Amino acid sequence: MDDTGACSRPPAPECALRRRCVDGDAARSDDPCCAKAAIFDMDGVLVDTSEGHYAAWREVSRRHGVELDRETFLRTLGTGNDTTVKIIFGDRLTPQQETEMAEEKESAFRAAARENVRHIYGAAELVRRLHEEGSRLALATSAPREN
């Protein structure tokens, strides 16, 4: 922003928000058109990994005598493996077994991911445009680095 509070970067031609910001009409520090940086979560924001996770948990749970239905799986969305293991298997596993189950699931997820991960509609275009406009970009995720 310049000293009047307006963004000093030129607008993308088709971006009405950016034009308003440059003109100063909507110049506020919280105006999305003035974004200098963005942090994106990976799962559910840039890519939809839910089907890959479902396939992996279904495979692992079957190997261990539990049939995982979609309704139960949907209760696990947004949770970590520690919580998901408890939802699927209850309290019958030791902490060590829970850790091993989560590792087994992540391995199954990596094997299933190529066929079961989809881009979120519009996410790639948004990231590309922000990059072209000079915004600093970062990726945040709680997923294991191997994924």
Side-chain angles (χ1 to χ4, degrees):
M1 288 190 191
D2 63 21
D3 54 353
T4 68
C7 286
S8 58
R9 290 184 292 189
E14 67 281 357
C15 181
L17 284 176
R18 178 100 31 218
R19 281 193 301 274
R20 279 193 0 236
C21 186
V22 171
D23 293 341
D25 295 339
R28 300 185 326 259
S29 62
D30 64 340
D31 194 320
C33 76
C34 294
K36 294 179 183 177
I39 301 172
F40 293 96
D41 185 24
M42 186 172 58
D43 292 341
V45 175
L46 297 179
V47 293
D48 180 359
T49 56
S50 61
E51 287 304 310
H53 288 291
Y54 180 48
W57 275 119
R58 197 172 59 236
E59 176 185 328
V60 169
S61 64
R62 278 185 187 149
R63 278 190 235 149
H64 296 277
V66 174
E67 197 61 39
L68 176 64
D69 60 48
R70 185 168 292 278
E71 182 177 319
T72 301
F73 171 73
L74 290 175
R75 291 190 359 240
T76 72
L77 290 179
T79 68
N81 284 335
D82 54 340
T83 301
T84 301
V85 167
K86 287 180 179 8
I87 291 171
I88 296 172
F89 296 98
D91 292 328
R92 64 181 177 214
L93 301 176
T94 67
Q96 177 64 32
Q97 289 171 317
E98 289 176 358
T99 299
E100 291 168 359
M101 196 72 62
E103 290 171 358
E104 187 177 342
K105 178 267 176 180
E106 291 304 326
S107 178
F109 172 77
R110 285 188 290 278
R114 292 206 185 273
E115 298 172 11
N116 291 294
V117 174
R118 306 285 179 253
H119 292 105
I120 298 292
Y121 178 79
E125 174 65 14
L126 175 62
V127 170
R128 184 189 61 74
R129 288 191 54 206
L130 287 171
H131 174 73
E132 288 173 355
E133 293 173 4
S135 296
R136 297 188 66 171
L137 304 175
L139 177 66
T141 184
S142 62
R145 185 171 289 280
E146 299 83 10
N147 290 4

